[in-house]
Amino acid sequence: MSRVLPGDATPVHDVIGIGFGPSNVAMAIALSEHNAGAGRQESITAHFFEQQPCFGWHRGMLLDDATMQVSFLKDLVTLRNPTSEFSFLCYLKSKGRLIDFINHKNLFPLRVEFHDYFEWAAAQVEDMVSYGHEVVGVAPVIRDEAVEYLEVTVRSGEGLVVHRARNLVIGTGLRPRMPEGVDRGDRVWHNSELLSRVDELEASTSPTRFVVVGAGQSAAENVAYLHRRFPEAEVCAVFSRYGYSPADDSSFANRIFDPEAVDEYFAAPEHVKRQLIDYHGNTNYSVVDIDLIDDLYRRMYQEKVLGAERLRFLNVSRLSGLKETPEKVRATVTSLVSGEETLLDADLVVFATGYLPTDPLGLLGEVADRCLRDDEGRVRVERDYRIATDPELRCGIYLQGGTEHVHGITSSLLSNTAIRVGDILDSLLDRGLKSASDEVRTVADGTGSAARQSSSRG
């Protein structure tokens, strides 16, 4: 519900961040570095709210041998500030592994190591975040018929608390995608759950068969992991292609992730945007690292030679039916060529079917009515990642994710995170963080920037 500003002196954060995954950790670092070099009047008060009890990024996918698909140089800061103390190299130095990593001669760290880097970075700005706090609503605060601030309602174990903000930075991440009509259950999982639940499965039964659905990197990693961890079980991979398609990580193709490519994509006509996605989708979507493809093929061929085939590939096929019981799940796999059906009684079916962006307007309530949409009903987003709104909404609402239709493939990936938060920071500074009327009010009642800075840490 809208509120009319009563002229009180309630502290107002310059920025409130919703979610504290890698993107908003990078945002907090950028704000921290800015404040370290700014005077009191130029500093930015900010606080972030994260519903998880601690930092976590796709924990269910941190397989022990899985590597990153982006260079370590595309960390949270380096492309924005190569001298930052929050870089992956500084992390390695702090852990005593810098020389070992250099000797490794590898641009792509283990995923579990990069997650540890994220945790290390998040811990250095933990005064800017409240974990275990879920944002449940946003409402406009109106003065002179304009939305002057946004009230952010946050729920924690201590109840509901309302905070005010001049700007929001939404980084709520992705949600698991399941095929239409398929629900997760005791024996039907999304791959994001794998590591958090596999021990429970192993403790309760001796699995004899797994089915993994999907043709991308996560699907192939899950197949390899289950095949290795359960040496007595059969692992069946189901996908509609003849085989896994290799990711195009060649130097020229990778230019689609360059910061300049975002400018070009943003300015391109709509039909060119679609062409670019079609041309370069194989850099990211439903593709697998060639080394992993080769490893899986080697395993399959070796088993054929030895006459003990545990690794099966049901290609040019689709999962057409599921029936779950307390003991098993029956999967029906249909050939796309012949229509022949294969019935597989499995202990577990894992869907590695990707993710969808969280609805960026889902938390905004009636504020969403002031956000503009394009001809296809998608939220309109400016080049600086700010949602286009009607003129009466004076607050900035920035998106970290969910802007692929505007900024291209890189908007959902880590590749451009450091540059993106720099763009958002520049936009915040260029637009001005404090209205003239607010400055008069805070000076008059003594709640200046120092008081706001104190409140932002609460």
Side-chain angles (χ1 to χ4, degrees):
M1 179 179 296
S2 302
R3 290 189 56 190
V4 178
L5 196 66
D8 60 33
T10 303
V12 182
H13 301 291
D14 294 327
V15 175
I16 282 181
I18 304 177
F20 205 61
S23 291
N24 267 351
V25 172
M27 189 76 244
I29 292 170
L31 291 167
S32 176
E33 291 182 335
H34 166 79
N35 287 347
R40 175 177 293 183
Q41 296 302 319
E42 293 79 27
S43 65
I44 299 173
T45 62
H47 202 77
F48 296 78
F49 297 98
E50 168 57 53
Q51 63 180 342
Q52 294 187 101
C54 60
F55 178 85
W57 177 69
H58 296 309
R59 288 186 179 273
M61 298 169 61
L62 299 178
L63 306 177
D64 54 10
D65 62 346
T67 59
M68 299 295 295
Q69 274 73 59
V70 297
S71 165
F72 72 87
L73 292 171
K74 294 184 176 181
D75 58 18
L76 298 176
V77 295
T78 297
L79 295 185
R80 175 183 59 82
N81 177 13
T83 65
S84 174
E85 296 180 356
F86 294 86
S87 70
F88 181 71
L89 292 179
C90 288
Y91 155 80
L92 289 174
K93 179 68 173 179
S94 74
K95 298 293 184 178
R97 293 200 304 270
L98 179 58
I99 300 301
D100 293 331
F101 183 84
I102 293 172
N103 290 338
H104 191 35
K105 299 180 181 179
N106 196 332
L107 288 172
F108 307 102
L110 289 169
R111 193 177 298 157
V112 68
E113 182 178 33
F114 222 63
H115 187 277
D116 192 55
Y117 157 64
F118 288 152
E119 289 185 291
W120 171 85
Q124 295 188 70
V125 289
E126 63 182 1
D127 61 321
M128 299 176 70
V129 59
S130 294
Y131 292 106
H133 286 64
E134 179 186 8
V135 173
V136 295
V138 177
V141 179
I142 297 174
R143 172 192 282 145
D144 299 330
E145 300 183 354
V147 179
E148 191 77 11
Y149 309 121
L150 298 173
E151 285 196 336
V152 181
T153 301
V154 181
R155 179 170 56 207
S156 69
E158 300 174 354
L160 296 176
V161 177
V162 176
H163 303 262
R164 281 185 181 169
R166 296 179 179 83
N167 300 276
L168 298 181
V169 180
I170 301 175
T172 47
L174 304 170
R175 55 186 175 87
R177 176 183 181 180
M178 295 290 285
E180 186 176 353
V182 177
D183 296 320
R184 287 187 276 180
D186 291 338
R187 296 186 179 274
V188 178
W189 301 353
H190 187 269
N191 69 281
S192 60
E193 308 172 82
L194 183 63
L195 289 186
S196 61
R197 299 184 65 180
V198 72
D199 290 339
E200 169 192 339
L201 176 71
E202 188 175 26
S204 62
T205 185
S206 297
T208 58
R209 178 182 284 153
F210 297 95
V211 175
V212 179
V213 181
Q217 180 73 21
S218 294
E221 288 176 351
N222 279 226
V223 168
Y225 171 77
L226 293 169
H227 183 261
R228 181 179 70 252
R229 174 158 180 173
F230 298 93
E232 303 301 320
E234 180 181 270
V235 181
C236 302
V238 179
F239 45 80
S240 59
R241 304 182 181 192
Y242 270 94
Y244 296 118
S245 298
D248 184 357
D249 62 351
S250 60
S251 300
F252 283 114
N254 273 342
R255 295 176 70 179
I256 192 67
F257 303 117
D258 289 355
E260 292 80 5
V262 178
D263 293 321
E264 294 168 352
Y265 190 93
F266 183 84
E270 194 61 37
H271 73 279
V272 175
K273 285 183 168 69
R274 289 192 292 268
Q275 287 178 350
L276 289 171
I277 293 292
D278 292 341
Y279 290 154
H280 297 288
N282 64 344
T283 59
N284 182 59
Y285 301 115
S286 297
V287 289
V288 182
D289 287 347
I290 189 62
D291 290 344
L292 181 54
I293 294 174
D294 291 342
D295 175 63
L296 288 172
Y297 194 89
R298 178 194 57 78
R299 297 190 203 189
M300 179 192 70
Y301 185 77
Q302 182 182 42
E303 291 181 351
K304 283 189 175 183
V305 171
L306 298 176
E309 297 182 46
R310 292 193 303 114
L311 187 55
R312 295 176 58 189
F313 293 92
L314 286 76
N315 60 348
V316 200
S317 301
R318 66 181 181 89
L319 191 75
S320 54
L322 277 179
K323 184 177 181 181
E324 186 176 3
T325 69
E327 294 79 24
K328 296 284 183 179
V329 56
R330 170 162 287 189
T332 303
V333 180
T334 302
S335 168
L336 298 177
V337 176
S338 65
E340 179 183 356
E341 292 186 347
T342 301
L343 299 180
L344 299 172
D345 288 326
D347 298 276
L348 176 66
V349 176
V350 179
F351 284 88
T353 43
Y355 294 82
L356 293 171
T358 304
D359 180 7
L361 304 186
L363 292 171
L364 297 184
E366 63 184 280
V367 177
D369 297 335
R370 299 175 180 268
C371 299
L372 307 182
R373 295 182 179 270
D374 63 18
D375 294 339
E376 298 184 28
R378 302 169 301 188
V379 62
R380 280 180 50 189
V381 186
E382 305 294 349
R383 174 59 185 86
D384 59 2
Y385 300 94
R386 181 171 49 90
I387 294 177
T389 64
D390 65 40
E392 287 74 29
L393 179 57
R394 297 176 181 173
C395 305
I397 304 173
Y398 295 85
L399 299 182
Q400 298 233 57
T403 67
E404 187 176 273
H405 61 291
V406 178
H407 297 100
I409 292 175
T410 191
S411 65
S412 61
L413 307 175
L414 292 173
S415 296
N416 211 37
T417 299
I419 298 293
R420 180 173 64 244
V421 300
D423 290 343
I424 294 173
L425 176 58
D426 288 343
S427 177
L428 290 168
L429 296 171
D430 290 344
R431 292 180 63 242
L433 290 165
K434 303 170 178 64
S435 68
S437 58
D438 182 60
E439 289 301 315
V440 170
R441 178 170 61 85
T442 56
V443 169
D445 61 28
T447 57
S449 60
R452 289 193 298 273
Q453 181 71 45
S454 175
S455 70
S456 73
R457 292 191 292 267

